Amino acid sequence: MAPGVPKQLGVRLPENEEVARLLLEKHRSMLEKGLTDNLSLTLSTAYRNVCAAKEHIRNLKDLLKIKGVGPWVIRLVKESFPESSPDLSPPKIKAKGKKGKKTKRSEHSPDFVCSSSVNMASQELTQLTSQEQISCSSEIQTTGSAEFTSLDKDTNGLSNSILAMPPRLCNKKFLEAYEVVLVLDDRETFGSHGMRVVSNIHSKFRVPVEIKRLPVGDGIWIARHRRSRTEYVLDFIVERKGVTDLVSSIRDSRYKDQKLRLKKCGLRKLIYLVEGDPSPLNASESVKTACLTTEILEGFDVQRTTGYLDTEKTYGHLTLSIIDYYSTNFSSRANTSRVCLTYEEFVKKCSDPKKLTVSDIFALQLMQVPQVTEETALAVTELYPTLFSLARAYSMLDGNTCEQEQMLNKKSKMVNTGASRNIFKLVWGE
């Protein structure tokens, strides 16, 4: 059933009327273009809470404090926000009396959105702030282009948002100490074009490409130490899906299981690459909904390509982006950030998916519940690793159904009210 047209509500503070009107107009315009129930609920919640706000919403930072307003909503309204909005990134300290030097934007930095299409000879780059982590839904509907979006979700502290770095054992620069290699899974199928794709990436982008059996994902990047030959897995992983395989995996539930395994692999930047045109399969809506859910609700970076040639370019551009990021940040961050897993540690962490823990199985069960995404399921299992522990927590509330339905929502911001209620009904069998 399609979401209903939102009704205009009264605004508690006259100063917030313009912000409320902006949210309402955005919601109505997106409904006309097509909007999922979950996203419609997100906008309705944000609008209702803005209308009820007791304090003046002066800028985007104030708006972000409103319950129900997350990075996606901020991204959605930023350009039309009624007042000039401040930069939400950490403030930069400038020496008194000195002009700040302009920092040249790197052409391939992963902190930028990199749009590359077949008909474009150059890349247009736009730096994202830490609060603008999720692309607007309309951006991922364009077939034949690739979006590269910063996925850092830890915005509570700067150290948490830094990607893992390989060890810095001396004063050498990144590329002096390490060689970056694109590693593709040996089951990654490009049909009869397989070896040609590998050769083309290597020759066109001048980057090493190797084939290995990966425990999870279809592509990773390793930094190989030039002297010791130790291999460290950089904080990026790609899952490539042809539209035919994607539609099939949605129907048989492999889709959710594969994304859960990616989320637990230990790498932060999760890229979901969808290749091909779904129109001949009469599955355009299914693919579009899957892409929206995967990016907006689950935090993946979804990229769409037209075919293997476009995918080939995407792999090349991503490799150059990753090299630039580590080259730029290695000297300043290598001693303060997390250390990359070695390749052996990565394989050990991800291998043998048949050895599922009780929490893994519980998470997969939760993901069958309406409004429960991978992130929601993982948030619940962090609090309650088993069904028994969750049921026991519900029983401690002495039959107070209202409190039981709201319990998970109150304990974790990753669990919305609908998901919290639906999980309670699953456990209590109502």
Side-chain angles (χ1 to χ4, degrees):
M1 185 175 179
V5 178
K7 297 180 180 179
Q8 186 170 359
L9 303 176
V11 182
R12 183 167 189 163
L13 285 183
E15 296 91 337
N16 293 336
E17 286 180 356
E18 198 169 356
V19 179
R21 178 187 56 78
L22 172 61
L23 279 172
L24 183 62
E25 289 177 356
K26 285 285 184 184
H27 192 173
R28 288 174 174 173
S29 66
M30 291 185 71
L31 279 174
E32 293 175 1
K33 298 176 184 177
L35 191 66
T36 64
D37 290 349
N38 279 343
L39 295 182
S40 182
L41 178 63
T42 297
L43 285 173
S44 294
T45 302
Y47 172 64
R48 184 172 63 253
N49 291 337
V50 165
C51 290
K54 298 179 181 179
E55 297 182 2
H56 183 196
I57 302 171
R58 297 178 176 84
N59 49 45
L60 291 179
K61 198 169 184 179
D62 290 343
L63 180 59
L64 193 61
K65 295 176 182 177
I66 302 297
K67 186 175 180 180
V69 175
W72 177 66
V73 175
I74 294 293
R75 171 80 175 176
L76 196 64
V77 303
K78 183 184 178 187
E79 296 301 323
S80 309
F81 200 74
E83 295 186 13
S84 57
S85 56
D87 183 8
L88 296 182
S89 57
K92 297 177 181 179
I93 300 173
K94 188 189 296 184
K96 189 175 181 180
K98 293 184 180 181
K99 293 183 178 179
K101 293 183 180 180
K102 292 184 178 180
T103 303
K104 185 177 179 181
R105 286 184 176 181
S106 172
E107 185 181 358
H108 306 293
S109 171
D111 290 334
F112 288 71
V113 175
C114 173
S115 300
S116 59
S117 76
V118 176
N119 297 323
M120 295 176 67
S122 62
Q123 298 174 338
E124 181 180 353
L125 304 173
T126 306
Q127 191 172 22
L128 295 177
T129 65
S130 61
Q131 300 291 348
E132 298 166 358
Q133 298 149 354
I134 304 175
S135 298
C136 185
S137 60
S138 61
E139 293 178 317
I140 62 175
Q141 298 174 11
T142 306
T143 303
S145 65
E147 308 294 335
F148 190 49
T149 309
S150 173
L151 292 177
D152 283 330
K153 292 200 165 196
D154 299 318
T155 56
N156 294 329
L158 181 61
S159 61
N160 290 333
S161 66
I162 297 173
L163 298 181
M165 293 276 171
R168 188 174 185 230
L169 304 176
C170 58
N171 291 327
K172 289 183 178 180
K173 294 180 180 179
F174 177 69
L175 289 179
E176 292 175 346
Y178 294 96
E179 173 190 39
V180 175
V181 181
L182 167 62
V183 180
L184 298 178
D185 184 50
D186 62 3
R187 294 159 293 189
E188 171 80 315
T189 56
F190 288 97
S192 59
H193 307 288
M195 293 309 298
R196 189 189 309 169
V197 169
V198 171
S199 177
N200 286 346
I201 295 173
H202 176 68
S203 60
K204 290 179 182 178
F205 296 92
R206 300 178 183 274
V207 294
V209 183
E210 295 182 2
I211 306 296
K212 289 186 179 183
R213 175 62 59 94
L214 298 178
V216 64
D218 293 308
I220 62 172
W221 287 263
I222 61 172
R224 180 180 291 141
H225 197 273
R226 295 186 184 275
R227 289 190 62 185
S228 68
R229 311 305 290 172
T230 304
E231 296 176 340
Y232 297 93
V233 181
L234 301 179
D235 235 353
F236 296 78
I237 187 167
V238 174
E239 176 76 17
R240 171 178 167 260
K241 282 287 184 186
V243 289
T244 303
D245 187 28
L246 176 58
V247 173
S248 174
S249 66
I250 291 172
R251 289 171 180 164
D252 64 16
S253 297
R254 285 184 296 119
Y255 167 69
K256 290 187 175 183
D257 181 39
Q258 289 166 343
K259 287 191 292 183
L260 182 62
R261 290 180 60 205
L262 284 172
K263 279 183 169 291
K264 300 190 74 173
C265 75
L267 305 181
R268 178 167 294 180
K269 299 285 190 180
L270 311 176
I271 303 167
Y272 209 77
L273 194 154
V274 181
E275 179 185 292
D277 182 6
S279 299
L281 304 175
N282 295 320
S284 295
E285 287 304 313
S286 296
V287 171
K288 184 169 71 173
T289 301
C291 289
L292 285 168
T293 302
T294 301
E295 180 154 30
I296 295 173
L297 298 181
E298 294 156 9
F300 283 70
D301 175 15
V302 175
Q303 301 197 21
R304 297 284 298 274
T305 65
T306 54
Y308 79 91
L309 286 176
D310 203 10
T311 298
E312 176 186 296
K313 291 182 180 181
T314 299
Y315 273 126
H317 286 303
L318 287 174
T319 304
L320 295 180
S321 299
I322 290 166
I323 291 172
D324 267 3
Y325 175 83
Y326 281 94
S327 296
T328 302
N329 296 286
F330 182 63
S331 298
S332 60
R333 297 181 177 180
N335 295 327
T336 58
S337 64
R338 296 175 297 114
V339 177
C340 292
L341 298 171
T342 64
Y343 184 73
E344 290 74 17
E345 290 170 339
F346 172 71
V347 171
K348 185 176 181 181
K349 183 177 179 67
C350 303
S351 288
D352 205 356
K354 293 180 182 179
K355 291 183 179 178
L356 293 174
T357 65
V358 175
S359 292
D360 293 334
I361 296 171
F362 185 33
L364 289 172
Q365 292 173 330
L366 289 172
M367 283 157 52
Q368 310 309 313
V369 177
Q371 299 190 42
V372 177
T373 65
E374 281 86 346
E375 285 196 346
T376 302
L378 291 174
V380 173
T381 54
E382 282 182 7
L383 294 168
Y384 305 103
T386 65
L387 177 61
F388 176 77
S389 62
L390 178 58
R392 196 163 102 178
Y394 283 137
S395 68
M396 299 292 288
L397 296 176
D398 297 326
N400 187 330
T401 303
C402 183
E403 285 295 317
Q404 290 169 327
E405 289 182 346
Q406 296 175 10
M407 183 184 78
L408 292 175
N409 174 248
K410 289 180 177 180
K411 287 184 175 290
S412 173
K413 63 181 180 181
M414 300 306 300
V415 185
N416 65 38
T417 53
S420 182
R421 181 174 58 252
N422 291 338
I423 292 172
F424 169 69
K425 290 180 179 179
L426 166 74
V427 175
W428 238 238
E430 294 184 2

